[in-house]
Amino acid sequence: MDSNPPNRKSESGRRDDWFALCEFHQVWGWIIIAAIAILAGLGLPIVAKFKNATPNDLVVYASQDEVYAEPILNEFQRQTGIKVRAIYDSESVKTVGLVNRLLAEQDHPRCDLFWNNEELRTRQLAAKGVFEKWAAMGYRSRRIAVNTQKLSLASAPHSLAELTNEIWRGKVALAYPLFGTTATHFLALRQSWGDPRWQDWCRALAANKPFLVDGNSPAAQLVAKGEAWVGLTDSDDIAAEQREGASLVALPMTAECLPIPNTIAVVRGAPHRQAAEKLFGYLQRSNVVEKLVAAQALEGVSWQDAPQGTLRPDWTKLLAELEPGTESLKKIFLR
């Protein structure tokens, strides 16, 4: 087995992101570049999307992957005659880009319904009064994935603490823990372990030279290719690589794993409130959620059926401690 995986992917993803630019460069010139990048990378595609929309279209912001969400939304449109315009986020700033957009538009909403593939940012927006109401549906999970051509299951790391061991140096892949489900998972671990133990683990993990990539899908792909041997990623991304024939296995759920429901929310002041209400109800139907399970976007129909003994955060406390936890992640992982 090759104990020295190839050089890690370029870190350009973090340089293109506003928060990362501020962290890396701390100068106004880069801030200007970041602003331009945001407008070009986020704003212009949205303008293009809305250009073809009509005032009567139901507008959905979705962090659920387009490959899974689009068939569901198309079927809703076919059944109801309500035209849907969906705006999807990018992998590198998963969910956070849409969160910032919803906050920016709060006084003049353009979105009717937010379909999020995780829970933390939905709760964050709800606490700020962005939503009229929200609900959870189905679940997937955060898992350790291993390439079985690189190591046996018996020799695989079976706890997150083990990922800091020298044997896994340069062999672990994960997304930057500032966005999406990786951020939620890390912050939930902070609450479970306590800040001192968590900070020690984060520093040791960063010092062990993991592959830090733009999202959970790239993390799973690196493990599938054998460039990394172990990945910390989402169950749906593992399933996607398995469908491609990869020798990738998800280790069993443990107390360190996090169940992740999808969430849907009606935006307060939604321009098309009645249509949004119809989609809100439609997405919670058991037969609709079962389609997402069959597509392996989700693992189960009800998030309440997720295995017991896994991480179950106190969300009120987690939101109250969101800023210091995020600042610690920036200091440790963005250098």
Side-chain angles (χ1 to χ4, degrees), residues 221-243:
Q221 289 167 6
L222 281 179
V223 181
K225 294 174 183 176
E227 296 180 42
W229 295 6
V230 180
L232 188 57
T233 186
D234 294 342
S235 58
D236 60 316
D237 295 302
I238 298 170
E241 295 306 313
Q242 290 173 334
R243 288 195 297 271

Side-chain angles (χ1 to χ4, degrees), residues 92-121:
S92 61
V93 291
K94 200 67 174 176
T95 305
V96 176
L98 293 176
V99 167
N100 288 339
R101 191 171 302 142
L102 285 163
L103 286 170
E105 296 172 356
Q106 186 170 6
D107 292 336
H108 304 283
R110 302 182 74 180
C111 172
D112 298 296
L113 184 137
F114 182 38
W115 182 355
N116 192 5
N117 66 353
E118 60 94 44
E119 188 171 2
L120 172 61
R121 302 300 173 179

Side-chain angles (χ1 to χ4, degrees), residues 139-151:
Y139 78 93
R140 54 193 175 123
S141 61
R142 295 284 300 171
R143 306 287 276 275
I144 295 177
V146 299
N147 184 313
T148 55
Q149 291 187 339
K150 294 294 183 179
L151 71 163

